[in-house]
Amino acid sequence: MTTRGRALRLTAISTLVVLGLTGFSTSRHGHGHGGDGGGGCSSSSQDHDSSSSSSGGGDAYKDDGDTYTTGGTGHHDYDDDTYDDDTGSGTTATPEPATAELLTCATESAPYATVEITNPNDRAYTFPVTVFFKDAAGTTTADSREEPTVPPRTTTKVRVPLDDTTTPDHCELDDPNPQPLP
């Protein structure tokens, strides 16, 4: 082989080694997500020499529940599957609605309605409870809302005050199965 051929071959091998060592690849960090393509550190603004970084802060990329962060030095930090729950399982159960039952309506001597709320969930939630105070014709003369926090798997009684001076004929609940507030 000629000297020129050896030089070209050595240059090609050196280039592949340098590209391999600087993070250029066809695979992703961590999980393999098919069809994503893309490589490692291919941004032209990144400098892998920590003494002369040009990227300044850091950029975060989120994909399929995974977080990728490039720091100021061009290094990659990988946070696998960030979840909002405490179990780490990746699924958060949707809370069940409460059961609300109107026990008493407001009277002149007790200007409030009493509502019983049952939380069927394994943790405490705040449930909105609205009572409509109505006259004999069924017209709403006033309404009032309370937002009690009910302990898990517990039934709580709540007083919903009547802020009107007119004593109602009867009361109605807005929702007998209120959803928990976020």
Side-chain angles (χ1 to χ4, degrees):
M1 186 178 281
T2 67
T3 305
R4 183 176 174 106
R6 285 186 192 157
L8 287 174
R9 184 174 178 197
L10 182 58
T11 302
I13 291 172
S14 297
T15 302
L16 288 175
V17 169
V18 168
L19 289 176
L21 292 175
T22 59
F24 285 88
S25 68
T26 59
S27 66
R28 298 203 33 189
H29 295 95
H31 302 300
H33 297 286
D36 285 342
C41 303
S42 60
S43 172
S44 61
S45 66
Q46 286 186 343
D47 184 350
H48 292 281
D49 179 3
S50 62
S51 64
S52 61
S53 174
S54 62
S55 61
D59 300 312
Y61 304 94
K62 189 154 181 73
D63 177 42
D64 296 333
D66 303 331
T67 303
Y68 305 90
T69 305
T70 59
T73 61
H75 294 98
H76 297 278
D77 297 322
Y78 177 72
D79 180 14
D80 183 30
D81 300 325
T82 304
Y83 301 106
D84 292 334
D85 64 352
D86 295 332
T87 63
S89 66
T91 59
T92 302
T94 303
E96 296 291 321
T99 302
E101 181 182 353
L102 181 66
L103 298 179
T104 63
C105 189
T107 63
E108 190 174 328
S109 61
Y112 54 83
T114 305
V115 178
E116 189 174 74
I117 304 168
T118 303
N119 178 2
N121 299 289
D122 290 328
R123 64 172 271 216
Y125 283 101
T126 300
F127 297 96
V129 177
T130 302
V131 174
F132 296 110
F133 300 95
K134 299 189 174 246
D135 63 15
T139 304
T140 299
T141 57
D143 62 79
S144 186
R145 175 178 166 140
E146 289 293 311
E147 295 179 353
T149 298
V150 183
R153 303 208 176 273
T154 302
T155 298
T156 301
K157 289 182 182 177
V158 178
R159 289 181 175 178
V160 182
L162 171 63
D163 294 330
D164 193 352
T165 57
T166 306
T167 303
D169 179 68
H170 63 281
C171 297
E172 289 181 13
L173 276 174
D174 175 45
D175 186 0
N177 298 107
Q179 293 289 334
L181 295 174

